[in-house]
Amino acid sequence: MAPTDTELLSHAIAEARAGRATGGIPIGAALIVDGEVLATGHNKRVQLDSPILHGETDCLAAAGRLPASVYARATMVTTLSPCDMCTGAILLYGIPRVIIGENTTFYGGEDYLRQRGVEVTVLDDPECIELMREFIAAEPALWNEDIGEDA
Amino acid sequence: MAPTDTELLSHAIAEARAGRATGGIPIGAALIVDGEVLATGHNKRVQLDSPILHGETDCLAAAGRLPASVYARATMVTTLSPCDMCTGAILLYGIPRVIIGENTTFYGGEDYLRQRGVEVTVLDDPECIELMREFIAAEPALWNEDIGEDA
């Protein structure tokens, strides 16, 4: 039986928690192909001092170089609505489906993804919302830096 | 005197050539702030087996974590029209200006950048075009992989 969207999201949440546990921003992602987890990743701005390793891009990097035919069967699962960069990465590789844990904390490129033909599902998951709520309360400056909005 | 766009492009071209010389895809970028080169980068798909290190993202990674106020004064210079991912990275960080060497080989997210308020200049540079022409003739499969279009 194919895993449910919520089951798939659990892999991204585990990554988000791992990111927070190592002092980072709690956003995680998983790349699913044919119902299996091909790769996972999490935001590593803090851990690797990187402005380009968000959950989704770190996950794509972990997956390594893949043929377009694999991306074409893939689903990107992410705990938080994807920023413009991660939206663009999904579009570059023609990933046809995105599952988003929540878009209450941050509303990213969802409309643009849909406009470009990507199927987007938002789960409105309370665990994802709480992860971000706790993090932003604790580290507002770091969060603003990650979305390009610090002063 | 402020450097000309063509002078700025020369830093990106040097990176593109360095990328090709190390067996990679000849696309380079430079991040300019207050007329100075803050960082440079080039596509490292081959060198680091990475699907996320394009010229622009490698350059942003090399620049490290920057405050939004620095990105707000920056220009991204790239030898080739930016793909969807790099377009998104430019938008995420609110970089207000992009100088593109050429868009004959590949036409990326320029229209979307302009639509989102970014100033885009295309130089139609023959050296950039020739770098890509030679590369694509030699390595068509690698090029298609980099733009998510391989079979």
Side-chain angles (χ1 to χ4, degrees), chain A residues 46-64:
Chain A
V46 171
Q47 295 91 334
L48 296 180
D49 264 331
S50 172
I52 67 162
L53 290 175
H54 278 190
E56 299 89 327
T57 46
D58 184 55
C59 179
L60 289 170

mmCIF file of all heavy atoms in Angstrom, chain A residues 46-64:
data_model
loop_
_atom_site.group_PDB
_atom_site.id
_atom_site.type_symbol
_atom_site.label_atom_id
_atom_site.label_comp_id
_atom_site.label_asym_id
_atom_site.label_seq_id
_atom_site.Cartn_x
_atom_site.Cartn_y
_atom_site.Cartn_z
ATOM 1 N N VAL A 46 23.095 27.152 9.624
ATOM 2 C CA VAL A 46 23.928 27.278 10.816
ATOM 3 C C VAL A 46 25.066 26.245 10.795
ATOM 4 O O VAL A 46 26.243 26.584 10.951
ATOM 5 C CB VAL A 46 23.068 27.086 12.083
ATOM 6 C CG1 VAL A 46 23.943 26.999 13.331
ATOM 7 C CG2 VAL A 46 22.057 28.229 12.199
ATOM 8 N N GLN A 47 24.702 25.001 10.581
ATOM 9 C CA GLN A 47 25.674 23.914 10.707
ATOM 10 C C GLN A 47 26.815 24.025 9.702
ATOM 11 O O GLN A 47 27.956 23.675 10.012
ATOM 12 C CB GLN A 47 24.962 22.564 10.531
ATOM 13 C CG GLN A 47 23.943 22.247 11.625
ATOM 14 C CD GLN A 47 22.534 22.719 11.284
ATOM 15 O OE1 GLN A 47 22.348 23.670 10.519
ATOM 16 N NE2 GLN A 47 21.547 22.060 11.856
ATOM 17 N N LEU A 48 26.505 24.464 8.465
ATOM 18 C CA LEU A 48 27.554 24.571 7.437
ATOM 19 C C LEU A 48 27.752 26.008 6.967
ATOM 20 O O LEU A 48 28.394 26.232 5.935
ATOM 21 C CB LEU A 48 27.233 23.654 6.248
ATOM 22 C CG LEU A 48 27.217 22.150 6.557
ATOM 23 C CD1 LEU A 48 26.895 21.354 5.290
ATOM 24 C CD2 LEU A 48 28.562 21.682 7.126
ATOM 25 N N ASP A 49 27.215 26.958 7.720
ATOM 26 C CA ASP A 49 27.324 28.379 7.340
ATOM 27 C C ASP A 49 26.918 28.604 5.891
ATOM 28 O O ASP A 49 27.559 29.374 5.161
ATOM 29 C CB ASP A 49 28.773 28.860 7.520
ATOM 30 C CG ASP A 49 28.960 29.541 8.868
ATOM 31 O OD1 ASP A 49 27.988 30.108 9.378
ATOM 32 O OD2 ASP A 49 30.081 29.480 9.406
ATOM 33 N N SER A 50 25.859 27.928 5.469
ATOM 34 C CA SER A 50 25.489 27.984 4.055
ATOM 35 C C SER A 50 24.176 28.698 3.802
ATOM 36 O O SER A 50 23.143 28.333 4.374
ATOM 37 C CB SER A 50 25.384 26.568 3.493
ATOM 38 O OG SER A 50 24.843 26.628 2.186
ATOM 39 N N PRO A 51 24.175 29.665 2.886
ATOM 40 C CA PRO A 51 22.915 30.314 2.519
ATOM 41 C C PRO A 51 22.123 29.535 1.476
ATOM 42 O O PRO A 51 21.000 29.911 1.154
ATOM 43 C CB PRO A 51 23.375 31.655 1.945
ATOM 44 C CG PRO A 51 24.734 31.382 1.389
ATOM 45 C CD PRO A 51 25.340 30.288 2.232
ATOM 46 N N ILE A 52 22.689 28.462 0.933
ATOM 47 C CA ILE A 52 21.958 27.741 -0.131
ATOM 48 C C ILE A 52 21.451 26.370 0.305
ATOM 49 O O ILE A 52 20.730 25.722 -0.444
ATOM 50 C CB ILE A 52 22.782 27.619 -1.432
ATOM 51 C CG1 ILE A 52 24.007 26.723 -1.239
ATOM 52 C CG2 ILE A 52 23.174 28.990 -1.973
ATOM 53 C CD1 ILE A 52 24.584 26.221 -2.558
ATOM 54 N N LEU A 53 21.837 25.933 1.506
ATOM 55 C CA LEU A 53 21.362 24.622 1.958
ATOM 56 C C LEU A 53 20.094 24.753 2.808
ATOM 57 O O LEU A 53 20.137 24.738 4.036
ATOM 58 C CB LEU A 53 22.464 23.874 2.717
ATOM 59 C CG LEU A 53 23.621 23.405 1.837
ATOM 60 C CD1 LEU A 53 24.717 22.777 2.686
ATOM 61 C CD2 LEU A 53 23.161 22.422 0.757
ATOM 62 N N HIS A 54 18.979 24.873 2.132
ATOM 63 C CA HIS A 54 17.676 24.790 2.749
ATOM 64 C C HIS A 54 17.278 23.306 2.787
ATOM 65 O O HIS A 54 18.006 22.457 2.257
ATOM 66 C CB HIS A 54 16.667 25.598 1.941
ATOM 67 C CG HIS A 54 16.681 27.081 2.250
ATOM 68 N ND1 HIS A 54 15.729 27.942 1.786
ATOM 69 C CD2 HIS A 54 17.539 27.812 2.996
ATOM 70 C CE1 HIS A 54 15.988 29.170 2.230
ATOM 71 N NE2 HIS A 54 17.080 29.121 2.958
ATOM 72 N N GLY A 55 16.149 23.003 3.419
ATOM 73 C CA GLY A 55 15.733 21.598 3.494
ATOM 74 C C GLY A 55 15.694 20.924 2.131
ATOM 75 O O GLY A 55 16.276 19.858 1.920
ATOM 76 N N GLU A 56 15.038 21.577 1.181
ATOM 77 C CA GLU A 56 14.830 20.953 -0.120
ATOM 78 C C GLU A 56 16.129 20.857 -0.925
ATOM 79 O O GLU A 56 16.394 19.840 -1.580
ATOM 80 C CB GLU A 56 13.803 21.759 -0.943
ATOM 81 C CG GLU A 56 12.423 21.861 -0.291
ATOM 82 C CD GLU A 56 12.291 23.066 0.630
ATOM 83 O OE1 GLU A 56 13.280 23.470 1.278
ATOM 84 O OE2 GLU A 56 11.181 23.613 0.718
ATOM 85 N N THR A 57 16.943 21.924 -0.907
ATOM 86 C CA THR A 57 18.184 21.873 -1.692
ATOM 87 C C THR A 57 19.183 20.906 -1.055
ATOM 88 O O THR A 57 19.903 20.195 -1.771
ATOM 89 C CB THR A 57 18.818 23.277 -1.843
ATOM 90 O OG1 THR A 57 18.831 23.932 -0.568
ATOM 91 C CG2 THR A 57 18.023 24.126 -2.827
ATOM 92 N N ASP A 58 19.219 20.848 0.271
ATOM 93 C CA ASP A 58 20.085 19.879 0.940
ATOM 94 C C ASP A 58 19.653 18.452 0.583
ATOM 95 O O ASP A 58 20.496 17.567 0.370
ATOM 96 C CB ASP A 58 20.029 20.092 2.452
ATOM 97 C CG ASP A 58 20.992 19.188 3.209
ATOM 98 O OD1 ASP A 58 22.201 19.216 2.899
ATOM 99 O OD2 ASP A 58 20.544 18.450 4.105
ATOM 100 N N CYS A 59 18.361 18.255 0.492
ATOM 101 C CA CYS A 59 17.824 16.942 0.125
ATOM 102 C C CYS A 59 18.199 16.597 -1.328
ATOM 103 O O CYS A 59 18.629 15.476 -1.615
ATOM 104 C CB CYS A 59 16.307 16.969 0.298
ATOM 105 S SG CYS A 59 15.478 15.456 -0.140
ATOM 106 N N LEU A 60 18.073 17.558 -2.215
ATOM 107 C CA LEU A 60 18.458 17.321 -3.615
ATOM 108 C C LEU A 60 19.952 17.034 -3.710
ATOM 109 O O LEU A 60 20.385 16.172 -4.492
ATOM 110 C CB LEU A 60 18.103 18.532 -4.492
ATOM 111 C CG LEU A 60 16.610 18.744 -4.744
ATOM 112 C CD1 LEU A 60 16.371 20.093 -5.415
ATOM 113 C CD2 LEU A 60 16.035 17.610 -5.610
ATOM 114 N N ALA A 61 20.750 17.746 -2.922
ATOM 115 C CA ALA A 61 22.191 17.500 -2.921
ATOM 116 C C ALA A 61 22.489 16.094 -2.409
ATOM 117 O O ALA A 61 23.321 15.374 -2.972
ATOM 118 C CB ALA A 61 22.905 18.548 -2.063
ATOM 119 N N ALA A 62 21.768 15.691 -1.360
ATOM 120 C CA ALA A 62 21.975 14.347 -0.803
ATOM 121 C C ALA A 62 21.576 13.264 -1.808
ATOM 122 O O ALA A 62 22.186 12.189 -1.854
ATOM 123 C CB ALA A 62 21.167 14.187 0.489
ATOM 124 N N ALA A 63 20.573 13.548 -2.607
ATOM 125 C CA ALA A 63 20.136 12.576 -3.619
ATOM 126 C C ALA A 63 21.176 12.422 -4.717
ATOM 127 O O ALA A 63 21.237 11.386 -5.389
ATOM 128 C CB ALA A 63 18.803 13.012 -4.230
ATOM 129 N N GLY A 64 21.997 13.439 -4.897
ATOM 130 C CA GLY A 64 23.046 13.380 -5.914
ATOM 131 C C GLY A 64 22.503 13.622 -7.315
ATOM 132 O O GLY A 64 21.366 14.065 -7.489
#
